[in-house]
Amino acid sequence: VVENLDLNIQFFAKGRLHDSQYFPNEKAPFKINFIESDSIINNSNYNFSLLVTSETTFNFIEVPTPGAEEIIVNKKFGENINTVIGDIVITPNIDNVLKLKEKIILINIVSVIKLAEYYKKKILVSPAADFSKVLHLSLDDSSISRGIAIINTLVEE
């Protein structure tokens, strides 16, 4: 379910009070192409941010270790970026990328196994009635659409 819905790759618009997640990832303003194999990406934990600086460039922002100073590198869309999880290529997923100028987009890559364990604990399964073969599945999630997608994909799987 985590892999089918790409839940391990999370995009957030940084807000003043809280960050808003783009779901599904097709709604995110950027697309990330990984050069490394899926097995490496699916077992990785990595966070970085993007800040659009022009129609063709952005600042790639990462903090290598907790408490360290952030590293900011200016990059072009479509250019290889060397990271600890391998090279990635970032391209815009919207027509007018300049409307995001000066807005920070956070990207979290989470281990598939850790995320699956997290959702496994959050999903409640109960019988519809005593001696019933029908089950109730429920999930309390901050995003209604993501919660519905997870339950529906779980049933399909």
Side-chain angles (χ1 to χ4, degrees):
V1 172
V2 171
E3 288 176 356
N4 284 354
L5 296 174
D6 287 329
L7 296 175
N8 62 317
I9 303 164
Q10 305 166 344
F11 294 85
F12 296 89
K14 183 145 180 75
R16 284 195 271 174
L17 298 177
H18 66 86
D19 303 333
S20 302
Q21 185 173 5
Y22 294 97
F23 182 82
N25 286 349
E26 290 80 34
K27 291 184 178 180
F30 303 104
K31 181 166 176 36
I32 300 175
N33 294 308
F34 298 95
I35 307 303
E36 290 298 323
S37 69
D38 286 346
S39 61
I40 292 173
I41 303 305
N42 290 345
N43 291 313
S44 299
N45 290 300
Y46 182 60
N47 304 320
F48 60 94
S49 305
L50 304 177
L51 178 67
V52 175
T53 54
S54 76
E55 202 170 297
T56 58
T57 62
F58 61 93
N59 283 340
F60 182 83
I61 306 163
E62 68 176 334
V63 178
T65 56
E69 278 198 40
E70 62 184 19
I71 298 170
I72 303 172
V73 181
N74 193 267
K75 294 290 185 178
K76 292 181 180 177
F77 290 113
E79 178 179 34
N80 268 14
I81 301 169
N82 191 315
T83 71
V84 294
I85 60 169
D87 288 357
I88 62 174
V89 176
I90 298 171
T91 54
N93 199 25
I94 57 175
D95 293 333
N96 183 8
V97 76
L98 283 179
K99 71 180 180 181
L100 293 173
K101 192 170 182 177
E102 303 305 319
K103 291 185 181 177
I104 295 176
I105 303 298
L106 308 168
I107 295 99
N108 298 333
I109 298 165
V110 183
S111 163
V112 168
I113 293 171
K114 285 184 183 178
L115 202 55
E117 285 295 324
Y118 169 79
Y119 279 111
K120 181 178 165 185
K121 292 175 185 172
K122 289 191 70 154
I123 293 175
L124 300 174
V125 181
S126 60
D130 289 339
F131 308 108
S132 173
K133 293 183 181 182
V134 177
L135 297 174
H136 283 285
L137 297 175
S138 62
L139 170 64
D140 187 18
D141 197 77
S142 60
S143 166
I144 293 171
S145 62
R146 182 177 56 223
I148 291 170
I150 290 170
I151 293 291
N152 287 341
T153 305
L154 181 63
V155 169
E156 287 174 18
E157 289 296 317

